[in-house]
């Protein structure tokens, strides 16, 4: 689990941010921003961008993503990776 998901209590994430469709939208927005900014894309790149948004870093590429959406997407990615590893 990323440091950003540990820093914020689960109750702070809005319910809409936990919706799989919202997670997909958020991940898509960050993927586009990461490709535009870095020219590469990986799970770590996505997680780093999302974690910076959750942490409120001023230089984070928000791309229409608020901290609650970023946290929901991070949790979705973590859940998918845990299920894939099982």
């Amino acid at each position: 689990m990323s440091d950003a998901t540990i820093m914020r209590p689960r109750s702070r994430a809005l319910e809409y941010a936990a919706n799989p469709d919202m997670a997909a939208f958020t991940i898509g927005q960050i993927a586009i921003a990461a490709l535009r900014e870095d020219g590469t894309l990986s799970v770590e790149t996505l997680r780093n961008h999302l974690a910076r948004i959750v942490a409120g870093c001023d230089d984070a590429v928000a791309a229409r993503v608020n901290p609650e959406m970023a946290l929901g997407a991070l949790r979705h990615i973590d859940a998918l990776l845990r299920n894939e590893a099982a």
Side-chain angles (χ1 to χ4, degrees):
M1 187 175 290
S2 68
D3 292 339
T5 59
I6 295 169
M7 292 185 333
R8 281 189 172 213
R10 185 172 291 275
S11 62
R12 297 237 4 230
L14 300 175
E15 192 163 320
Y16 76 88
N19 179 305
D21 291 334
M22 181 57 73
F25 169 81
T26 302
I27 292 166
Q29 289 293 314
I30 297 304
I32 291 167
L35 286 169
R36 193 177 309 130
E37 186 177 293
D38 303 331
T40 61
L41 185 62
S42 69
V43 173
E44 281 308 308
T45 302
L46 287 173
R47 292 170 97 179
N48 289 338
H49 277 268
L50 290 165
R52 288 174 44 221
I53 292 170
V54 171
C57 293
D58 291 336
D59 65 335
V61 176
R64 298 172 32 193
V65 174
N66 65 39
E68 287 76 21
M69 291 165 62
L71 182 57
L74 276 172
R75 288 185 175 142
H76 189 72
I77 290 169
D78 288 344
L80 288 174
L81 291 177
R82 275 194 310 273
N83 287 338
E84 190 174 289

